Amino acid sequence: HCFKQAMHINTSLLDLSFHGCTDFEEEHLEQIEGLCLNSQPMLKNAMAPLRQSSRTLDSLDFSRGQFQDSLEGLSSYDEASLKTVCTHTDVSCKLLSSALPDNTALRTLNLNNGHVTDRGVAALCRALELNRTVHTLSVANNFLTSASAQSVAAVLLCNGILTNINLRRNQIEEEGAEAVLGALEVNHTCRVFNLDLNPISDATQRKLGFAITLNHQPRSLKSALAALREGERVVETIKADADDEGRPYDDVSGQIIADALRQGGPVTAVDLYGHKVGDVGGTAL
């Protein structure tokens, strides 16, 4: 506890290790070593406003490997974008995750182009399950495998805030992509999910694209299609009801319904009165 307090204000120590000390619990050792960020001074300085939810620091960007905004520019913490002089790693993720659950100002978290692994993403995702303001998470071009995709999928099952997720250019395979697809069947709010340049098939990419397309449609359409696919109940009529966000059925909705009808589902009527289905959707139907 004393070491943790000291490391909050110390600015000279560059390395701290308790390797071989059997009297300390591993969790406490990681917390102490994680606070030793004097080799990453800008990240350490960013943690104070991040922990103060009354501040309006709404964007953290560690993607370019060079800190570009002066500390004077962070005095108001308004629309600030932080870039660290040091490569971000799992230690950075653990430190950030300690502040995320209680933070109510941060909107964007960019950790592209670093040395983040599955452990770092897992720590962030556990924190994001409790966070209610971050809508964009980007961890492209790191060292992530399907385990990270599974961690993100777990967040999508309980978090209705995240709308934009970028896992581009990693090593995520079919297993991870399938976990994401499963989560998107339940999640209604994610609008962008980028898995480009990962070793997954074109067929899986198309499924992902369709899942994201559905999240841009009224929820009643997604619910009806899920019921038809799973055969849990008979949907005799697909009735177009605008959702809570006021999204009407449009040409894309019409094309999706047409595809469902081609599968021969138990639908005897389609009611699209008063919506915005045009010639494209109407022709498909």
Side-chain angles (χ1 to χ4, degrees):
H1 178 72
C2 293
F3 270 112
K4 288 171 63 178
Q5 294 238 338
M7 290 312 301
H8 277 298
I9 59 175
N10 180 277
T11 58
S12 59
L13 188 63
L14 296 180
D15 184 58
L16 177 64
S17 174
F18 289 88
H19 180 69
C21 294
T22 59
D23 293 336
F24 290 161
E25 295 182 10
E26 183 178 355
E27 178 182 357
H28 294 160
L29 292 179
E30 289 183 353
Q31 290 175 352
I32 295 171
E33 292 174 356
L35 289 170
C36 186
L37 285 175
N38 292 324
S39 62
Q40 301 187 47
M42 301 311 169
L43 175 58
K44 187 168 184 175
N45 287 329
M47 293 309 300
L50 188 60
R51 288 194 174 100
Q52 299 175 28
S53 293
S54 59
R55 301 287 191 177
T56 56
L57 176 64
D58 67 356
S59 179
L60 284 170
D61 186 346
F62 296 95
S63 63
R64 298 181 184 177
Q66 185 176 2
F67 189 81
Q68 294 181 347
D69 298 307
S70 66
L71 287 178
E72 290 75 17
L74 296 176
S75 58
S76 65
Y77 307 116
D78 187 17
E79 300 290 336
S81 178
L82 300 181
K83 301 177 180 66
T84 180
V85 294
C86 295
T87 301
H88 42 282
T89 64
D90 289 346
V91 171
S92 311
C93 292
K94 290 179 181 179
L95 187 62
L96 291 171
S97 65
S98 69
L100 283 176
D102 297 323
N103 182 276
T104 59
L106 193 66
R107 302 290 185 270
T108 300
L109 185 55
N110 187 334
L111 291 165
N112 294 344
N113 309 318
H115 291 162
V116 178
T117 71
D118 295 330
R119 291 183 62 187
V121 170
L124 286 175
C125 287
R126 286 192 294 270
L128 288 172
E129 289 181 3
L130 303 175
N131 180 276
R132 291 294 176 264
T133 57
V134 174
H135 59 68
T136 299
L137 172 65
S138 189
V139 281
N141 195 26
N142 279 281
F143 296 90
L144 309 183
T145 70
S146 293
S148 288
Q150 292 168 341
S151 296
V152 172
V155 175
L156 290 178
L157 291 174
C158 61
N159 181 307
I161 306 300
L162 281 170
T163 60
N164 191 324
I165 298 173
N166 182 12
L167 297 177
R168 186 176 187 271
R169 198 185 287 275
N170 282 290
Q171 294 300 315
I172 296 168
E173 299 179 339
E174 293 291 328
E175 181 182 6
E178 289 296 333
V180 171
L181 287 171
L184 289 174
E185 290 182 3
V186 178
N187 178 279
H188 298 285
T189 54
C190 185
R191 302 289 191 267
V192 177
F193 202 113
N194 191 341
L195 278 177
D196 291 350
L197 299 180
N198 281 280
I200 60 177
S201 67
D202 291 342
T204 300
Q205 283 281 21
R206 287 192 293 271
K207 290 179 182 178
L208 179 63
F210 180 71
I212 291 299
T213 297
L214 278 182
N215 274 1
H216 286 267
Q217 295 296 310
R219 293 188 182 183
S220 58
L221 174 57
K222 188 172 183 178
S223 299
L225 291 176
L228 285 172
R229 181 174 59 253
E230 296 171 6
E232 293 180 353
R233 59 187 176 87
V234 174
V235 182
E236 294 186 350
T237 301
I238 296 180
K239 183 174 176 58
D241 295 319
D243 63 7
D244 295 338
E245 299 178 6
R247 291 176 294 186
Y249 280 49
D250 55 16
D251 278 334
V252 175
S253 308
Q255 291 174 309
I256 292 173
I257 294 172
D259 287 338
L261 294 176
R262 292 190 187 97
Q263 304 302 317
V267 178
T268 58
V270 177
D271 183 357
L272 298 175
Y273 178 80
H275 285 264
K276 295 185 178 180
V277 177
D279 292 336
V280 174
T283 300
L285 286 167

